[in-house]
Amino acid sequence: SRFETCWPALMKDSHGVIIIFNPELPSHLKEIEMWYSCFVQQQPLLDSQCLLVAHHKPGSAGDTENLSLAYPLNKLKLIHSNLEEDPEDVRMEFMKYFRSIVTLINESREREEMSIIS
């Protein structure tokens, strides 16, 4: 991709990665493996710092039951977004995710402060 030179700047000091994809495009399913590898595994971030969002376009079949992702993507938190049908559900999931990231940041900051003190 022509933006690869920007990736290190994007990744620097990042605490979380949200990967949004169209589950109806087979090419997207291959691409998210690459995004996960570059942005999560190589950083390295924990799997809990990554959120996958399968975004269903308005009027699409939106088959949310049969989306089975291969390892290692199947270890990640996956939410389905369909803003026509259930925007509130998606909002709640995002809030949960952001809260978990904030908790992780606070915990690592506390660990750093304790190591400085001791």
PDB file of all heavy atoms in Angstrom, residues 22-40:
ATOM      1  N   ASN A  22     -15.360  -4.984   5.585  1.00  0.00           N
ATOM      2  CA  ASN A  22     -16.616  -5.426   4.988  1.00  0.00           C
ATOM      3  C   ASN A  22     -16.563  -6.953   4.879  1.00  0.00           C
ATOM      4  O   ASN A  22     -15.810  -7.492   4.072  1.00  0.00           O
ATOM      5  CB  ASN A  22     -16.787  -4.797   3.600  1.00  0.00           C
ATOM      6  CG  ASN A  22     -18.093  -5.208   2.939  1.00  0.00           C
ATOM      7  OD1 ASN A  22     -18.734  -6.176   3.346  1.00  0.00           O
ATOM      8  ND2 ASN A  22     -18.484  -4.481   1.916  1.00  0.00           N
ATOM      9  N   PRO A  23     -17.358  -7.661   5.704  1.00  0.00           N
ATOM     10  CA  PRO A  23     -17.270  -9.124   5.729  1.00  0.00           C
ATOM     11  C   PRO A  23     -17.735  -9.782   4.434  1.00  0.00           C
ATOM     12  O   PRO A  23     -17.512 -10.973   4.228  1.00  0.00           O
ATOM     13  CB  PRO A  23     -18.184  -9.511   6.894  1.00  0.00           C
ATOM     14  CG  PRO A  23     -19.123  -8.363   7.057  1.00  0.00           C
ATOM     15  CD  PRO A  23     -18.371  -7.147   6.639  1.00  0.00           C
ATOM     16  N   GLU A  24     -18.379  -8.985   3.553  1.00  0.00           N
ATOM     17  CA  GLU A  24     -18.857  -9.573   2.293  1.00  0.00           C
ATOM     18  C   GLU A  24     -17.792  -9.556   1.200  1.00  0.00           C
ATOM     19  O   GLU A  24     -18.010 -10.095   0.118  1.00  0.00           O
ATOM     20  CB  GLU A  24     -20.113  -8.842   1.829  1.00  0.00           C
ATOM     21  CG  GLU A  24     -21.328  -9.215   2.683  1.00  0.00           C
ATOM     22  CD  GLU A  24     -22.348  -8.097   2.754  1.00  0.00           C
ATOM     23  OE1 GLU A  24     -22.712  -7.602   1.677  1.00  0.00           O
ATOM     24  OE2 GLU A  24     -22.745  -7.728   3.870  1.00  0.00           O
ATOM     25  N   LEU A  25     -16.655  -8.923   1.483  1.00  0.00           N
ATOM     26  CA  LEU A  25     -15.580  -8.886   0.487  1.00  0.00           C
ATOM     27  C   LEU A  25     -14.471  -9.857   0.883  1.00  0.00           C
ATOM     28  O   LEU A  25     -13.773  -9.633   1.873  1.00  0.00           O
ATOM     29  CB  LEU A  25     -14.985  -7.474   0.388  1.00  0.00           C
ATOM     30  CG  LEU A  25     -15.869  -6.390  -0.191  1.00  0.00           C
ATOM     31  CD1 LEU A  25     -15.122  -5.062  -0.228  1.00  0.00           C
ATOM     32  CD2 LEU A  25     -16.332  -6.754  -1.602  1.00  0.00           C
ATOM     33  N   PRO A  26     -14.285 -10.930   0.120  1.00  0.00           N
ATOM     34  CA  PRO A  26     -13.225 -11.888   0.441  1.00  0.00           C
ATOM     35  C   PRO A  26     -11.847 -11.229   0.547  1.00  0.00           C
ATOM     36  O   PRO A  26     -11.029 -11.621   1.376  1.00  0.00           O
ATOM     37  CB  PRO A  26     -13.270 -12.876  -0.729  1.00  0.00           C
ATOM     38  CG  PRO A  26     -14.668 -12.778  -1.246  1.00  0.00           C
ATOM     39  CD  PRO A  26     -15.076 -11.346  -1.042  1.00  0.00           C
ATOM     40  N   SER A  27     -11.606 -10.190  -0.265  1.00  0.00           N
ATOM     41  CA  SER A  27     -10.297  -9.516  -0.210  1.00  0.00           C
ATOM     42  C   SER A  27     -10.082  -8.860   1.152  1.00  0.00           C
ATOM     43  O   SER A  27      -8.963  -8.820   1.668  1.00  0.00           O
ATOM     44  CB  SER A  27     -10.185  -8.459  -1.314  1.00  0.00           C
ATOM     45  OG  SER A  27     -11.178  -7.461  -1.134  1.00  0.00           O
ATOM     46  N   HIS A  28     -11.164  -8.360   1.755  1.00  0.00           N
ATOM     47  CA  HIS A  28     -11.039  -7.741   3.075  1.00  0.00           C
ATOM     48  C   HIS A  28     -10.630  -8.775   4.117  1.00  0.00           C
ATOM     49  O   HIS A  28      -9.865  -8.477   5.024  1.00  0.00           O
ATOM     50  CB  HIS A  28     -12.365  -7.094   3.501  1.00  0.00           C
ATOM     51  CG  HIS A  28     -12.511  -5.693   2.999  1.00  0.00           C
ATOM     52  ND1 HIS A  28     -13.279  -4.751   3.645  1.00  0.00           N
ATOM     53  CD2 HIS A  28     -11.976  -5.070   1.929  1.00  0.00           C
ATOM     54  CE1 HIS A  28     -13.225  -3.611   2.970  1.00  0.00           C
ATOM     55  NE2 HIS A  28     -12.446  -3.785   1.926  1.00  0.00           N
ATOM     56  N   LEU A  29     -11.157  -9.988   3.987  1.00  0.00           N
ATOM     57  CA  LEU A  29     -10.835 -11.022   4.961  1.00  0.00           C
ATOM     58  C   LEU A  29      -9.346 -11.369   4.914  1.00  0.00           C
ATOM     59  O   LEU A  29      -8.737 -11.671   5.928  1.00  0.00           O
ATOM     60  CB  LEU A  29     -11.705 -12.264   4.738  1.00  0.00           C
ATOM     61  CG  LEU A  29     -13.209 -12.019   4.910  1.00  0.00           C
ATOM     62  CD1 LEU A  29     -13.998 -13.285   4.617  1.00  0.00           C
ATOM     63  CD2 LEU A  29     -13.550 -11.504   6.299  1.00  0.00           C
ATOM     64  N   LYS A  30      -8.746 -11.285   3.723  1.00  0.00           N
ATOM     65  CA  LYS A  30      -7.300 -11.510   3.628  1.00  0.00           C
ATOM     66  C   LYS A  30      -6.547 -10.298   4.182  1.00  0.00           C
ATOM     67  O   LYS A  30      -5.548 -10.441   4.885  1.00  0.00           O
ATOM     68  CB  LYS A  30      -6.861 -11.731   2.168  1.00  0.00           C
ATOM     69  CG  LYS A  30      -7.269 -13.012   1.539  1.00  0.00           C
ATOM     70  CD  LYS A  30      -6.599 -14.293   1.911  1.00  0.00           C
ATOM     71  CE  LYS A  30      -5.288 -14.443   2.578  1.00  0.00           C
ATOM     72  NZ  LYS A  30      -5.308 -15.560   3.582  1.00  0.00           N
ATOM     73  N   GLU A  31      -7.052  -9.123   3.872  1.00  0.00           N
ATOM     74  CA  GLU A  31      -6.342  -7.906   4.282  1.00  0.00           C
ATOM     75  C   GLU A  31      -6.294  -7.739   5.794  1.00  0.00           C
ATOM     76  O   GLU A  31      -5.297  -7.265   6.323  1.00  0.00           O
ATOM     77  CB  GLU A  31      -6.993  -6.668   3.660  1.00  0.00           C
ATOM     78  CG  GLU A  31      -6.524  -6.406   2.250  1.00  0.00           C
ATOM     79  CD  GLU A  31      -7.286  -5.272   1.586  1.00  0.00           C
ATOM     80  OE1 GLU A  31      -7.626  -4.299   2.279  1.00  0.00           O
ATOM     81  OE2 GLU A  31      -7.538  -5.375   0.373  1.00  0.00           O
ATOM     82  N   ILE A  32      -7.379  -8.127   6.490  1.00  0.00           N
ATOM     83  CA  ILE A  32      -7.347  -7.913   7.934  1.00  0.00           C
ATOM     84  C   ILE A  32      -6.265  -8.764   8.605  1.00  0.00           C
ATOM     85  O   ILE A  32      -5.738  -8.360   9.637  1.00  0.00           O
ATOM     86  CB  ILE A  32      -8.721  -8.116   8.637  1.00  0.00           C
ATOM     87  CG1 ILE A  32      -9.310  -9.492   8.349  1.00  0.00           C
ATOM     88  CG2 ILE A  32      -9.673  -7.006   8.281  1.00  0.00           C
ATOM     89  CD1 ILE A  32     -10.627  -9.735   9.077  1.00  0.00           C
ATOM     90  N   GLU A  33      -5.883  -9.877   7.993  1.00  0.00           N
ATOM     91  CA  GLU A  33      -4.767 -10.659   8.539  1.00  0.00           C
ATOM     92  C   GLU A  33      -3.476  -9.835   8.479  1.00  0.00           C
ATOM     93  O   GLU A  33      -2.671  -9.844   9.411  1.00  0.00           O
ATOM     94  CB  GLU A  33      -4.577 -11.959   7.758  1.00  0.00           C
ATOM     95  CG  GLU A  33      -5.666 -12.976   8.024  1.00  0.00           C
ATOM     96  CD  GLU A  33      -5.486 -14.252   7.199  1.00  0.00           C
ATOM     97  OE1 GLU A  33      -4.326 -14.555   6.809  1.00  0.00           O
ATOM     98  OE2 GLU A  33      -6.488 -14.933   6.949  1.00  0.00           O
ATOM     99  N   MET A  34      -3.300  -9.122   7.369  1.00  0.00           N
ATOM    100  CA  MET A  34      -2.108  -8.286   7.199  1.00  0.00           C
ATOM    101  C   MET A  34      -2.120  -7.117   8.192  1.00  0.00           C
ATOM    102  O   MET A  34      -1.119  -6.819   8.827  1.00  0.00           O
ATOM    103  CB  MET A  34      -2.080  -7.778   5.755  1.00  0.00           C
ATOM    104  CG  MET A  34      -0.820  -7.047   5.367  1.00  0.00           C
ATOM    105  SD  MET A  34      -0.958  -5.246   5.301  1.00  0.00           S
ATOM    106  CE  MET A  34      -2.472  -4.912   4.454  1.00  0.00           C
ATOM    107  N   TRP A  35      -3.284  -6.477   8.340  1.00  0.00           N
ATOM    108  CA  TRP A  35      -3.385  -5.355   9.282  1.00  0.00           C
ATOM    109  C   TRP A  35      -3.083  -5.828  10.699  1.00  0.00           C
ATOM    110  O   TRP A  35      -2.375  -5.167  11.454  1.00  0.00           O
ATOM    111  CB  TRP A  35      -4.785  -4.741   9.251  1.00  0.00           C
ATOM    112  CG  TRP A  35      -5.098  -4.009   7.981  1.00  0.00           C
ATOM    113  CD1 TRP A  35      -5.976  -4.393   7.014  1.00  0.00           C
ATOM    114  CD2 TRP A  35      -4.534  -2.770   7.523  1.00  0.00           C
ATOM    115  NE1 TRP A  35      -5.978  -3.476   5.992  1.00  0.00           N
ATOM    116  CE2 TRP A  35      -5.116  -2.473   6.272  1.00  0.00           C
ATOM    117  CE3 TRP A  35      -3.585  -1.902   8.058  1.00  0.00           C
ATOM    118  CZ2 TRP A  35      -4.782  -1.330   5.550  1.00  0.00           C
ATOM    119  CZ3 TRP A  35      -3.259  -0.757   7.328  1.00  0.00           C
ATOM    120  CH2 TRP A  35      -3.854  -0.486   6.093  1.00  0.00           C
ATOM    121  N   TYR A  36      -3.636  -6.973  11.060  1.00  0.00           N
ATOM    122  CA  TYR A  36      -3.423  -7.524  12.403  1.00  0.00           C
ATOM    123  C   TYR A  36      -1.936  -7.806  12.624  1.00  0.00           C
ATOM    124  O   TYR A  36      -1.361  -7.464  13.659  1.00  0.00           O
ATOM    125  CB  TYR A  36      -4.250  -8.802  12.580  1.00  0.00           C
ATOM    126  CG  TYR A  36      -3.946  -9.560  13.847  1.00  0.00           C
ATOM    127  CD1 TYR A  36      -4.381  -9.089  15.084  1.00  0.00           C
ATOM    128  CD2 TYR A  36      -3.221 -10.750  13.806  1.00  0.00           C
ATOM    129  CE1 TYR A  36      -4.089  -9.790  16.257  1.00  0.00           C
ATOM    130  CE2 TYR A  36      -2.933 -11.446  14.967  1.00  0.00           C
ATOM    131  CZ  TYR A  36      -3.368 -10.968  16.179  1.00  0.00           C
ATOM    132  OH  TYR A  36      -3.080 -11.650  17.335  1.00  0.00           O
ATOM    133  N   SER A  37      -1.316  -8.427  11.630  1.00  0.00           N
ATOM    134  CA  SER A  37       0.098  -8.756  11.733  1.00  0.00           C
ATOM    135  C   SER A  37       0.948  -7.488  11.915  1.00  0.00           C
ATOM    136  O   SER A  37       1.797  -7.422  12.804  1.00  0.00           O
ATOM    137  CB  SER A  37       0.528  -9.512  10.478  1.00  0.00           C
ATOM    138  OG  SER A  37       1.925  -9.591  10.424  1.00  0.00           O
ATOM    139  N   CYS A  38       0.689  -6.476  11.097  1.00  0.00           N
ATOM    140  CA  CYS A  38       1.505  -5.253  11.140  1.00  0.00           C
ATOM    141  C   CYS A  38       1.229  -4.402  12.373  1.00  0.00           C
ATOM    142  O   CYS A  38       2.144  -3.901  13.007  1.00  0.00           O
ATOM    143  CB  CYS A  38       1.241  -4.395   9.903  1.00  0.00           C
ATOM    144  SG  CYS A  38       1.827  -5.154   8.394  1.00  0.00           S
ATOM    145  N   PHE A  39      -0.048  -4.215  12.668  1.00  0.00           N
ATOM    146  CA  PHE A  39      -0.407  -3.225  13.678  1.00  0.00           C
ATOM    147  C   PHE A  39      -0.556  -3.797  15.087  1.00  0.00           C
ATOM    148  O   PHE A  39      -0.521  -3.057  16.057  1.00  0.00           O
ATOM    149  CB  PHE A  39      -1.694  -2.497  13.282  1.00  0.00           C
ATOM    150  CG  PHE A  39      -1.459  -1.421  12.262  1.00  0.00           C
ATOM    151  CD1 PHE A  39      -1.415  -1.736  10.910  1.00  0.00           C
ATOM    152  CD2 PHE A  39      -1.255  -0.106  12.641  1.00  0.00           C
ATOM    153  CE1 PHE A  39      -1.180  -0.751   9.953  1.00  0.00           C
ATOM    154  CE2 PHE A  39      -1.013   0.886  11.688  1.00  0.00           C
ATOM    155  CZ  PHE A  39      -0.974   0.559  10.348  1.00  0.00           C
ATOM    156  N   VAL A  40      -0.749  -5.113  15.204  1.00  0.00           N
ATOM    157  CA  VAL A  40      -0.929  -5.688  16.536  1.00  0.00           C
ATOM    158  C   VAL A  40       0.264  -6.557  16.907  1.00  0.00           C
ATOM    159  O   VAL A  40       0.956  -6.297  17.888  1.00  0.00           O
ATOM    160  CB  VAL A  40      -2.252  -6.496  16.623  1.00  0.00           C
ATOM    161  CG1 VAL A  40      -2.437  -7.068  18.025  1.00  0.00           C
ATOM    162  CG2 VAL A  40      -3.441  -5.610  16.264  1.00  0.00           C
TER     163      VAL A  40
END
